[in-house]
Amino acid sequence: MKHDVNDNGSTAVLERTENKSPRKPDADKEEMMKKMEVAGTPGPAHKALNALVGNWKAEVKCYMEPGGEPKVNQATSKASWTLNGRFVEGEFHGEMFGTPFLGRSLLGYDNTKQKFISVWVSDIQTSMFTSEGKGDSGYKVITLEGKGDCPATGRKDVPMKQVFRVLSPDKHTFEMFDVSKGESVRTMEITYTRQ
């Protein structure tokens, strides 16, 4: 404890606080670094995403009402590895209500959460759609869940489900479902064929 006298004659007491937590030994730091390295290393789930990499023709079916006839459009997509094989980055050129648009996505596998994770953005919206989920059938089926907003209807935080299905080395599908009412109502289906 140290006493200081101010100009006005009063005494201030200053206490030095010592760091009470014990220092971690170097062995703990090394163990933490090993855990971080394992969590950041691509594995079998990442390798499975290679089926989505390439240049694709896309047939897009949008369902405006359950059971109704879909509106069909043609699109193109390019998907490639980024960040040293940790994420597949997609670039999608399509059309929405007669207007061309560009969409981008990142899809990966979070080793810490043990889940697939995705984010989608486009040049016709200001929101991001994020989702996460699991893989089945040797990662040939990936099901993600998230919440999205619909500016057309004003609905916010609508629970959505996405399903990727690898059908062959040259074909896969993507389906989007509205699950807000306790059932899966398909809103979109995209069939990708390798170019």
Side-chain angles (χ1 to χ4, degrees):
M1 197 176 306
K2 182 179 176 186
H3 296 277
D4 282 341
V5 178
N6 295 336
D7 290 338
N8 63 8
S10 64
T11 303
V13 177
L14 303 175
E15 281 193 33
R16 177 182 291 177
T17 56
E18 297 293 331
N19 186 354
K20 304 286 185 196
S21 62
R23 292 181 186 245
K24 297 271 185 191
D26 287 341
D28 285 351
K29 289 180 185 176
E30 287 177 23
E31 185 63 28
M32 289 171 65
M33 291 302 292
K34 284 180 187 174
K35 287 180 181 178
M36 288 180 63
E37 185 178 336
V38 168
T41 301
H46 298 86
K47 185 178 270 191
L49 295 176
N50 202 51
L52 308 178
V53 171
N55 294 316
W56 306 91
K57 290 186 295 183
E59 181 182 76
V60 182
K61 295 179 181 176
C62 292
Y63 296 86
M64 304 313 280
E65 55 188 67
E69 284 296 313
K71 181 170 174 47
V72 181
N73 289 305
Q74 302 303 312
T76 60
S77 177
K78 178 183 178 182
S80 57
W81 285 107
T82 188
L83 300 174
N84 297 319
R86 286 165 175 81
F87 297 92
V88 172
E89 181 176 22
E91 180 176 301
F92 188 92
H93 294 269
E95 184 180 298
M96 183 69 70
F97 303 115
T99 303
F101 77 92
L102 169 65
R104 294 196 188 271
S105 62
L106 282 178
L107 176 62
Y109 186 79
D110 185 326
N111 288 333
T112 302
K113 286 185 173 184
Q114 297 285 292
K115 290 183 178 184
F116 285 93
I117 52 174
S118 173
V119 63
W120 164 265
V121 294
S122 79
D123 65 357
I124 58 171
Q125 63 199 103
T126 55
S127 59
M128 289 184 173
F129 180 71
T130 61
S131 55
E132 61 181 39
K134 61 180 182 154
D136 293 308
S137 303
Y139 302 125
K140 293 200 179 293
V141 178
I142 298 171
T143 304
L144 307 176
E145 296 180 351
K147 291 183 179 179
D149 298 335
C150 179
T153 63
R155 294 172 66 204
K156 293 184 173 59
D157 293 326
V158 180
M160 304 295 286
K161 178 172 75 172
Q162 301 170 300
V163 181
F164 294 86
R165 295 179 201 277
V166 177
L167 305 177
S168 76
D170 296 322
K171 192 172 198 177
H172 65 275
T173 60
F174 167 85
E175 295 172 283
M176 177 83 83
F177 298 90
D178 178 336
V179 293
S180 62
K181 296 178 181 161
E183 58 183 283
S184 293
V185 177
R186 182 170 38 200
T187 59
M188 182 186 300
E189 179 180 6
I190 305 175
T191 300
Y192 292 89
T193 305
R194 192 179 297 278
Q195 293 192 62

